Amino acid sequence: MTTERLYDYYRENPVISTDTRNISPGCIFFALKGDLFNANEFAAQAIEKGAAYAVVDEEKYATNNQCLLVEDVLSTLQDLARHHRKQLNIPVIGLTGSNGKTTSKELVNAVLAERYKTFATFGNLNNHIGVPLSILSITGEVQIAVIEMGANHQKEIELLCTIAQPTHGIITNVGMAHLDGFGGFDGVKKGKAELYAYLKETHGYTFINRDNPYLLEMSTAAGLNKLIYYGTENGNTIKGELKSSDPFIEVDWTNHDVSSSVKTNLTGSYNFENILAAICIGDFFDMNPEEINTGLANYQPKNNRSQLTKTEKNTVICDFYNANPSSMTAALKNIAVLSADKKTAILGDMFELGPESHGQHELIAKQANESGLDEIIFIGKDFYSFKDNFKGTFFESPAEAAAYLQENPVQDHLVLLKGSRGMKLESLLQYL
């Protein structure tokens, strides 16, 4: 089964599924393998549910002519996406970074969609499986695509670039994330810079936050020359100023000596640079200030990223989709400057920090204690190890914290709820 032949099947059945729980009539099911599962075993079931074909890589599961036998299902999926990408003569914006990837992707898409037919990565389908699925979801009507690329080790962005083949790119920032997989902060910079290396090789355009010294250093090292700058100083294509972030962000910005202003529904001053990035990309694609501002003003944050939620008892900053030391520091700085009579932070452990985990949790606990909060609740075994070193209430699990909140309800507070995804802090929202 060659890629070209499989592409003929795909053009007739342009919907891909990797989960038998989500089979749509006429789709192509790709039987991926994982550490704990082998989807080859479910190929027949996928066809029974209406899949037109099932792509398998074990001969014993190729039981009829609807089963397409390949050497490796994952690499076949990636090769099919590469082939499809080559048929698409459109700009593709590759987007990565330690923090703010998904919010930036959503903001860029919200802006561009005011003028263009766009496609943007669904949710966080940003890895070696999600990116090919995203590329294969791009239809012929799409004029611009925004593809989010996540990574937790070296060479992953390099691989994703060969699939998405971005013509334009942006690294939102580099921070203390996935330190274990990348091998420390220098490894993070090296891994993210793989996007810059691809854009240098393919003569692509790069959007750079000129206020970020790490990005400037990385772009210089990569030898990039098609650069579009944004930031807070003169000399940038887009110059911005944060007017307010209490609780929602207002930005004044200038391009080509034309000044404009926009009010957003985003909280967190750390999102200012993500907004500027979206403005810069919209401007590059010939959008006028009115279109750009409309896209930004209408964007509603979701998926528990910088999402301000009013409950019956409190105002909660729902930012518990994920966490690392950089984003945790930014969130603590943000709540410190917001106006509220009483403030509480509920902080969960940060994962994938490797040997630096102990020191980074200690640093965040110290920052939280210095943030002027009325109450701090720490959750997780890493934070719990500091229960005798810092003020605050410490629990080893969210279940213990939930019991405490039921007995000691938080009322009329501004609450920051933040931790790594694996902490499942959404379980606490009902008690706030």
Side-chain angles (χ1 to χ4, degrees):
M1 178 60 60
T2 64
T3 300
E4 290 76 12
R5 186 178 169 200
L6 183 58
Y7 192 66
D8 290 335
Y9 287 108
Y10 162 77
R11 286 195 297 178
E12 294 173 5
N13 307 274
V15 176
I16 305 297
S17 174
T18 60
D19 189 336
T20 52
R21 294 170 296 183
N22 299 310
I23 296 294
S24 57
C27 72
I28 301 178
F29 174 71
F30 277 72
L32 296 171
K33 293 176 181 176
D35 293 336
L36 302 174
F37 66 91
N38 178 0
N40 280 272
E41 299 171 1
F42 305 108
Q45 184 184 122
I47 291 171
E48 287 173 10
K49 287 188 170 184
Y53 299 98
V55 180
V56 299
D57 53 15
E58 295 184 27
E59 192 169 357
K60 66 180 178 179
Y61 295 107
T63 55
N64 58 49
N65 59 8
Q66 287 180 273
C67 295
L68 309 177
L69 183 63
V70 300
E71 187 173 333
D72 180 81
V73 170
L74 176 57
S75 61
T76 297
L77 177 68
Q78 293 170 342
D79 286 342
L80 185 66
R82 288 187 185 97
H83 189 78
H84 181 55
R85 171 66 186 95
K86 288 174 182 174
Q87 319 308 312
L88 301 169
N89 187 26
I90 60 171
V92 172
I93 302 165
L95 189 152
T96 191
S98 297
N99 301 304
K101 286 188 298 296
T102 300
T103 298
S104 294
K105 176 255 299 182
E106 296 290 339
L107 287 169
V108 170
N109 186 54
V111 167
L112 293 174
E114 287 297 311
R115 175 176 290 196
Y116 300 101
K117 173 70 175 176
T118 64
F119 174 88
T121 301
F122 293 121
N124 67 329
L125 288 174
N126 63 11
N127 65 5
H128 62 297
I129 297 171
V131 169
L133 290 175
S134 295
I135 294 297
L136 288 166
S137 298
I138 301 175
T139 62
E141 308 90 63
V142 171
Q143 296 170 292
I144 301 178
V146 187
I147 301 296
E148 181 181 333
M149 299 187 289
N152 56 21
H153 57 266
Q154 308 289 341
K155 299 297 183 181
E156 192 166 6
I157 295 297
E158 181 181 281
L159 169 69
L160 299 180
C161 283
T162 70
I163 299 169
Q165 299 164 36
T167 55
H168 302 70
I170 179 171
I171 301 174
T172 57
N173 50 53
V174 286
M176 307 291 281
H178 304 297
L179 297 178
D180 195 19
F182 278 118
F185 182 59
D186 285 340
V188 174
K189 292 193 292 183
K190 182 179 178 182
K192 297 300 182 183
E194 290 165 13
L195 174 58
Y196 286 171
Y198 179 87
L199 293 168
K200 167 64 174 177
E201 181 183 343
T202 58
H203 309 289
Y205 291 89
T206 310
F207 303 97
I208 303 265
N209 179 0
R210 209 175 210 155
D211 295 343
N212 190 312
Y214 298 122
L215 298 181
L216 289 178
E217 169 199 329
M218 291 158 59
S219 64
T220 300
L224 294 170
N225 48 30
K226 291 185 176 179
L227 298 171
I228 304 95
Y229 292 106
Y230 60 94
T232 57
E233 303 295 330
N234 291 325
N236 295 306
T237 298
I238 297 296
K239 176 187 175 183
E241 179 184 355
L242 179 63
K243 295 297 292 183
S244 175
S245 59
D246 190 7
F248 297 113
I249 298 176
E250 296 181 34
V251 174
D252 286 350
W253 60 276
T254 304
N255 87 340
H256 315 305
D257 299 321
V258 177
S259 296
S260 191
S261 183
V262 61
K263 296 181 179 180
T264 75
N265 296 299
L266 278 165
T267 190
S269 56
Y270 46 84
N271 276 309
F272 168 60
E273 62 187 43
N274 300 328
I275 292 168
L276 277 192
I279 293 170
C280 186
I281 292 173
D283 175 74
F284 178 86
F285 285 102
D286 298 321
M287 297 184 66
N288 61 51
E290 291 73 24
E291 291 171 321
I292 292 170
N293 288 343
T294 298
L296 292 172
N298 290 340
Y299 172 70
Q300 295 287 343
K302 50 188 183 297
N303 299 327
N304 303 311
R305 295 176 173 92
S306 305
Q307 191 172 335
L308 202 66
T309 301
K310 290 191 179 294
T311 69
E312 292 182 2
K313 296 187 289 185
N314 301 287
T315 299
V316 183
I317 302 172
C318 296
D319 201 6
F320 45 82
Y321 184 83
N322 219 335
N324 57 55
S326 300
S327 65
M328 194 75 87
T329 296
L332 286 169
K333 287 181 178 178
N334 181 60
I335 193 172
V337 300
L338 293 179
S339 300
D341 292 333
K342 297 179 180 179
K343 300 178 185 179
T344 293
I346 302 176
L347 307 178
D349 276 357
M350 303 170 289
F351 296 168
E352 296 185 56
L353 298 180
E356 299 193 43
S357 182
H358 184 81
Q360 291 298 324
H361 280 87
E362 181 179 26
L363 181 63
I364 295 302
K366 182 175 184 291
Q367 289 176 357
N369 270 252
E370 295 172 350
S371 296
L373 299 163
D374 297 284
E375 185 174 4
I376 312 169
I377 298 172
F378 296 100
I379 306 171
K381 293 181 179 179
D382 288 301
F383 276 131
Y384 192 78
S385 66
F386 296 105
K387 61 181 172 42
D388 298 325
N389 302 78
F390 296 101
K391 294 179 181 178
T393 309
F394 290 78
F395 300 101
E396 290 190 273
S397 71
E400 294 174 8
Y404 172 82
L405 289 170
Q406 286 177 284
E407 293 293 323
N408 304 272
V410 175
Q411 186 83 34
D412 298 323
H413 279 223
L414 174 64
V415 181
L416 169 64
L417 186 59
K418 187 165 181 65
S420 277
R421 186 72 197 90
M423 290 301 297
K424 299 180 179 179
L425 295 187
E426 64 271 18
S427 63
L428 301 181
L429 194 56
Q430 62 184 306
Y431 307 112
L432 298 171

